[in-house]
């Protein structure tokens, strides 16, 4: 019985374009959102993700998370992963070890206060890292550094259709897509189109 039930669910939930490919046939893509939370963009993005049953990772800036802990809590409650993106978004390679530790530890504490969980994933601002920075991260429990493979430069505010096209042209199986909910004025508008395009191409998101 189970395969029959699964097939029925698939038919009922798929658009004609999606039905052409088995879901996840091509592979998985990881969606990440940096530099938030933002009081406008982040709830809009969370609404889109919830409506489509898609999970993502939010690499939050600690000072922003401290200003809007309810949004971080909502993202965590809805099943998204919360990562550490430093307290004030500096280039960590320009700081002392003590300053790097402060940037990351304060943000860990803010995330834990908001969600009840201390993060293990982190992303250095600008992707700028070195051995000292990574050692400081490990010392505060940040064991997994997550960079990216697809960068549509949404923070520079290209049109939503441009953000979509850049993502869909560059995406490959196991891509990690860098998007922004703190900057990137057109990202909330681009997201539904990106999700449609990924589904049409046989990708699932994680
Ligand atoms: Zn950033």
């Amino acid at each position: 019985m189970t395969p029959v039930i699964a097939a029925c669910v698939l038919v009922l939930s798929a658009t004609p374009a999606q039905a052409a490919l088995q879901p996840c046939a091509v592979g998985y893509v990881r969606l990440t959102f940096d530099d938030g939370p933002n009081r406008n963009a982040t709830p809009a993005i969370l609404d889109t993700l919830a409506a489509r049953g898609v999970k993502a990772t939010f690499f939050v800036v600690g000072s922003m998370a401290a200003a809007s802990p309810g949004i971080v809590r909502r993202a965590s409650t809805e099943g998204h992963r919360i990562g550490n993106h430093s307290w004030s978004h500096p280039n960590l390679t320009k700081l002392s070890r003590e300053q790097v530790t402060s940037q990351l530890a304060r943000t860990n504490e803010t995330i834990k206060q908001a969600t009840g969980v201390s993060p293990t994933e982190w992303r250095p601002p600008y992707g700028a890292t070195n051995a000292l920075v990574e050692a400081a991260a490990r010392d505060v429990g940040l064991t997994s550094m997550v960079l990216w493979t697809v960068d549509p430069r949404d923070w520079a505010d290209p049109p939503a259709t441009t953000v979509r096209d850049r993502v869909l042209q560059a995406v490959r199986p196991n891509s990690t897509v860098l998007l922004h909910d703190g900057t990137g004025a057109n990202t909330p508008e681009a997201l539904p189109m990106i999700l449609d395009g990924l589904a049409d191409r046989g990708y699932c998101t994680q």
Side-chain angles (χ1 to χ4, degrees):
M1 283 301 291
T2 303
V4 174
I5 293 169
C8 290
V9 170
L10 174 63
V11 169
L12 289 172
S13 63
T15 65
Q18 288 169 321
L21 272 175
Q22 288 290 321
C24 318
V26 176
Y28 287 84
V29 172
R30 184 170 184 183
L31 297 180
T32 64
F33 294 90
D34 285 14
D35 297 0
N38 174 282
R39 287 191 179 89
N40 298 315
T42 311
I45 287 167
L46 288 172
D47 287 348
T48 297
L49 296 174
R52 293 163 179 256
V54 170
K55 304 301 183 206
T57 305
F58 290 83
F59 288 98
V60 301
V61 171
S63 59
M64 307 278 286
S68 300
I71 299 176
V72 180
R73 186 175 306 116
R74 177 188 166 189
S76 177
T77 299
E78 294 183 359
H80 305 294
R81 288 189 276 195
I82 309 297
N84 186 324
H85 196 43
S86 83
W87 181 260
S88 60
H89 210 276
N91 182 331
L92 296 174
T93 68
K94 308 288 190 192
L95 304 185
S96 70
R97 171 92 179 234
E98 291 71 23
Q99 289 171 318
V100 174
T101 298
S102 173
Q103 284 278 331
L104 298 176
R106 286 180 78 187
T107 303
N108 274 355
E109 185 57 31
T110 299
I111 292 171
K112 186 172 184 184
Q113 284 179 8
T115 68
V117 182
S118 194
T120 57
E121 293 186 324
W122 69 292
R123 172 173 285 165
Y126 316 106
T129 185
N130 60 26
L132 181 149
V133 168
E134 289 169 30
R138 281 193 298 274
D139 280 354
V140 297
L142 295 168
T143 53
S144 178
M145 183 171 71
V146 180
L147 298 176
W148 59 88
T149 58
V150 176
D151 179 6
R153 299 173 63 83
D154 61 330
W155 52 266
D157 295 342
T161 51
T162 301
V163 177
R164 173 200 62 190
D165 291 346
R166 287 175 178 172
V167 170
L168 296 179
Q169 284 163 12
V171 75
R172 302 287 181 273
N174 301 314
S175 286
T176 297
V177 181
L178 171 62
L179 295 165
H180 292 81
D181 60 325
T183 52
N186 299 322
T187 304
E189 184 187 347
L191 181 59
M193 297 188 287
I194 292 170
L195 294 175
D196 284 345
L198 291 174
D200 288 348
R201 286 160 177 74
Y203 286 104
C204 284
T205 46
Q206 60 179 358

